[in-house]
Amino acid sequence: TDTVTLIDLRPVQSLIKIQTIATLLTCILLLSRNPDVQSRAFEDVSDNVGFDRLPTTDDMPNLKYIDYLIQESCRFNTAVPLLVHSNVLEDNYEGFRIPANSFVVGNVW
């Protein structure tokens, strides 16, 4: 018989909420300390979306500066802990030699 294993996703959902809140708070902090960036972000939204509606995900391809702003907020205060791995054997990844027993840290980006 086939068995189905259910996974409790509540911890993952909590982490996503924490990351979203941390990113938003970081963005607000950075914008409050950099009014010129805030003005440029406002111009990006007003030029590409206008004032008659809120931006949607469909607008994101046109909101390059907002996209960069979000990326910088995520980079500035990474809410997800970095996972460190170690390899037992020597490896070669895309032309880079990774000696045995090296610590490998994944890039969040």
Side-chain angles (χ1 to χ4, degrees), residues 56-85:
T56 66
T57 53
D58 293 334
D59 296 311
M60 284 308 292
N62 300 325
L63 299 172
K64 297 294 184 198
Y65 194 77
I66 297 297
D67 185 38
Y68 299 145
L69 183 69
I70 293 168
Q71 289 181 36
E72 181 62 14
S73 297
C74 292
R75 186 204 63 81
F76 187 82
N77 185 18
T78 304
V80 178
L82 295 177
L83 301 175
V84 178
H85 298 279

Side-chain angles (χ1 to χ4, degrees), residues 6-8 13 15 17 26 31 36 44 55-56 83-84 99-100:
L6 297 177
I7 300 172
D8 186 7
Q13 291 169 340
L15 286 174
K17 287 177 187 176
T26 299
L31 287 173
D36 54 321
D44 190 32
T56 66
L83 301 175
V84 178

Side-chain angles (χ1 to χ4, degrees), residues 32-100:
S32 68
R33 297 184 69 183
N34 298 282
D36 54 321
V37 174
Q38 184 177 3
S39 296
R40 188 164 173 195
F42 178 80
E43 288 173 14
D44 190 32
V45 174
S46 61
D47 290 347
N48 291 295
V49 178
F51 298 102
D52 57 336
R53 64 180 181 86
L54 293 173
T56 66
T57 53
D58 293 334
D59 296 311
M60 284 308 292
N62 300 325
L63 299 172
K64 297 294 184 198
Y65 194 77
I66 297 297
D67 185 38
Y68 299 145
L69 183 69
I70 293 168
Q71 289 181 36
E72 181 62 14
S73 297
C74 292
R75 186 204 63 81
F76 187 82
N77 185 18
T78 304
V80 178
L82 295 177
L83 301 175
V84 178
H85 298 279
S86 178
N87 59 324
V88 178
L89 302 173
E90 182 174 322
D91 196 7
N92 188 340
Y93 179 74
E94 293 188 4
F96 294 96
R97 180 181 159 269
I98 304 172

